[in-house]
Amino acid sequence: MRAWEMHPLCCLAGEWPSSGGGGGGLAPGDRSLPPAEEDADAAGEAPAVAGVLYKWTNIGKGWRPRWFAIRGGVLAYSKIRRRVAAEPHPASEAAAGGGGGVRLIGVARGGAGGGAGERPIGFVPLKISSFSESKSDDKRFYIITPTKTLQLRTGCAKDRATWIEALVSARSEYSFNGDLSGDQNDASFSTEKLRNRLHAEGIGEAVIKDCEQIIHSEFSQYQTQMKQRCEEYLSFIGSLPREVEVVNSVDSTVPEKPQLELFKHDCSSSGKCSEYSNTESSDDVGKQEISELSDGDEFHFYDTRQSFSEFATSPADPRKGCLNNGNEDHKSVEPLSAHKAEKCMLSHSKRRSQLPEPIEKEKGVSLWSMIKDNVGKDLTRVCLPVYFNEPLSSLQKCFEELEYSYLLDRAYECGLRGNGLMRILYVAAFAVSGYASTDSRPCKPFNPLLGETYEADYPEKGIRFFSEKVSHHPMVVACHCEGKGWKFWGDSNLKSKFWGQSIQLDPNGVLTLEFDDGETFQWSKVTTTINNLILGRVYCHHHGTMNISGNRRYSCKLTFKEQSFLDRNPRQVQGVVKDADGSKVATLMGKWDESVHCIINNDASKANSHGSHQSSGATLLWEKNEPPVNPTRYNLSAFAITLNELTPELKEKLPPTDSRLRPDQRHLENGEYEKANAEKLRLETRQRMARKMQESGWKPRWFQRDREDGTYRYVGGYWEAREQRTWVGCNDIFGNLSSSQKLPPSALYTSSSI
């Protein structure tokens, strides 16, 4: 008889053997029994409720019978061996006679089976689980835990109701709040060895008794403290089911206690899932119901492990981390002061998490139709619609590359501790991280007007950034940023080559990083190619060599691998760090859109980029932040969404040249596409005066060139002017031109479209 045809009569056993006979094994992560199971096994305790349920495994195997047993607040399940399916078992006879007070559901008395002899392959803690009945099948129900969803089926509708009743009862009856009110002297200890040692030293009896009294007093206080803490932990665990039910019944909200982090249970049905996978798939009806459980009912669960660790450290201590527009909070290991933590949380709470809802419905535009309709025309007079733009300027894109500025903070700290090697490794990781935001960004940023500026003050990151467009022909953007113990500046001039279906962008400029201790690093960016401009999905890749040179001991060479059609592992970055003698001391590997790892003092054979970095002993330097909760058409990161935010308080402090005040960009962000196109055309007409202004001796307001072919350096004074709100020399470059400012038509069309 095949396993899925046998009668659901199975045997019971007082304990599980060390190894199962039918291939039953532990699931990954379940190598040992939970404490409740170990205690029950040690005492020879039989399950309170047991029986056979059909569990959905995967598409290939479908529903499979499993032996389920509730014991000590834990639901355990194991495979059913085929070869013993028809063999009688002593425990089966005991169960049939009602021995042990075991309650069997859906199992006929007096038969035989072979389920309980197997070692369990999975455990479900009922205290942090919830249960739901299927709406389409009266035999099916779900057990939802923080890590997975079990889809189960009974033999009849009555059995389903009985199982759910038993699960709910076991969850409520089994309490972690044990009786801790025993006599403190129960855990007494002997001081006989101490007494003998003191006697050997010639200490008097009175002194020995005083010592014993002190030890007993200290031990009693310690025991009382441990007892109180244990009661707090057990009370916290006991409250989890109520918390889960409350969260399941209301919309998703942020909890008041920062140490209790909620995460949404993600149910996915794509692909082939093993029996031990976190997410288990079923048929179409099951998929739809699980989707309804996840999306409609907003199921959330407490991350128990994180709650325990943080609760044990300090239940009300918010100083252990600070959100930094992404997942940087778990990367920072040094606690902040209470004042800085409070300031950080307040600053972060002001940042927006999504763009405004569009006012108008956007109309798609074909780039090919734009080119076809303007064949033979002067392309400098063609205004591309805002459909091809994202609501950010190139000045803001410069600051977006500093999203992972915490890497420079770490580099500074490593240098202070005398670890120059780790400093350059973090600098290299920062240089790679700047490209992470370019992934799947189909739209181009706005080309800033001559003299346009952008400021970014992010105290929660500890950085202050400023940039300005300093030249129109060629177009050069200069920036300056100050962080915790470091300064970063540079300029960028892109030279483009159009190849029909793609465009190649070659950056020309040097980026400089200077730490407060005098160590500096310089590098230039690599080539970027944007593909499928006419047909297909637009994507970009970065390729070339980046040399990071320092003024002290170490230098780094990074190679961005050029992508090919046959490459199955694209976007690779590999690098080496060498000391002053030219000896290789470290290796870097990773992807510019995922992460960067390093291996110190190892040969290249262990740094295989196609293998697992963890298996090769690599250390994680940087990892890309999670995508935003509210995605946009422009595929902006959570950090990029905050860059163009304009509050009334900030608007009063900004100069009239700031990118946030640019009207066409603001209309595009608000979804006012007709107004955005009109403003873009007006500003492009005005921008055609820029070359004439530059030839007439126009100079940047906040930057100055070192030499004729050198880097633009920040001259200072911007933040002081911002404090005083005196913007001398900052004209309203976004306003309308007066009649006296207008140039003759021959001078209007001398620059490219923006």
Side-chain angles (χ1 to χ4, degrees), residues 676-694:
N677 281 315
E679 286 293 333
K680 188 170 187 287
L681 178 61
R682 180 183 67 83
L683 291 177
E684 285 189 357
T685 303
R686 173 167 182 160
Q687 179 67 358
R688 295 185 180 108
M689 296 176 54
R691 186 169 186 174
K692 191 71 174 179
M693 293 170 53
Q694 196 168 335

Side-chain angles (χ1 to χ4, degrees), residues 14-135:
E15 60 181 6
W16 287 294
S18 59
S19 62
L26 288 175
D30 292 325
R31 297 296 178 189
S32 61
L33 297 177
E37 294 289 349
E38 293 177 350
D39 297 341
D41 286 342
E45 176 187 349
V49 179
V52 175
L53 289 173
Y54 289 87
K55 177 179 176 293
W56 177 265
T57 55
N58 53 48
I59 298 177
K61 296 182 179 180
W63 297 94
R64 289 302 176 97
R66 297 289 182 258
W67 178 261
F68 282 79
I70 302 176
R71 179 184 299 178
V74 175
L75 176 67
Y77 58 91
S78 57
K79 290 185 177 180
I80 299 176
R81 291 178 292 180
R82 297 185 182 183
R83 67 172 182 268
V84 297
E87 297 177 0
H89 195 283
S92 172
E93 299 174 1
V102 180
R103 178 186 178 192
L104 297 177
I105 301 178
V107 178
R109 303 277 182 177
E118 291 287 342
R119 189 170 182 84
I121 59 175
F123 300 96
V124 180
L126 300 180
K127 291 298 293 183
I128 53 174
S129 303
S130 60
F131 320 110
S132 177
E133 297 178 344
S134 173
K135 299 178 182 178

Side-chain angles (χ1 to χ4, degrees), residues 436-449:
S437 61
T438 63
D439 181 30
S440 302
R441 294 282 281 272
C443 301
K444 65 180 289 289
F446 282 88
N447 187 8
L449 277 63

Side-chain angles (χ1 to χ4, degrees), residues 670 674 717:
N670 294 333
E674 294 297 331

Side-chain angles (χ1 to χ4, degrees), residues 232-304:
E232 291 175 356
Y233 293 162
L234 297 179
S235 176
F236 170 71
I237 296 174
S239 66
L240 284 179
R242 295 190 299 272
E243 300 288 354
V244 171
E245 296 298 335
V246 170
V247 174
N248 287 348
S249 61
V250 299
D251 293 333
S252 175
T253 57
V254 179
E256 295 181 358
K257 297 182 179 179
Q259 72 272 14
L260 298 180
E261 179 182 353
L262 296 175
F263 66 91
K264 186 171 183 179
H265 179 64
D266 183 18
C267 298
S268 173
S269 301
S270 60
K272 202 171 182 179
C273 302
S274 67
E275 186 164 356
Y276 317 125
S277 62
N278 288 346
T279 305
E280 305 174 20
S281 60
S282 181
D283 51 15
D284 295 337
V285 177
K287 295 177 185 177
Q288 181 178 358
E289 290 181 349
I290 290 183
S291 176
E292 292 174 357
L293 289 175
S294 178
D295 299 332
D297 297 336
E298 293 290 335
F299 278 91
H300 290 69
F301 301 92
Y302 287 104
D303 188 343
T304 329

Side-chain angles (χ1 to χ4, degrees), residues 23-24 75 92 191 234 410 482 553 584 602 655 665 683 686 709:
L75 176 67
S92 172
T191 59
L234 297 179
R410 293 186 181 180
E482 299 174 357
R553 184 177 179 184
K584 184 173 68 173
N602 249 316
Q665 184 174 312
L683 291 177
R686 173 167 182 160
D709 58 345

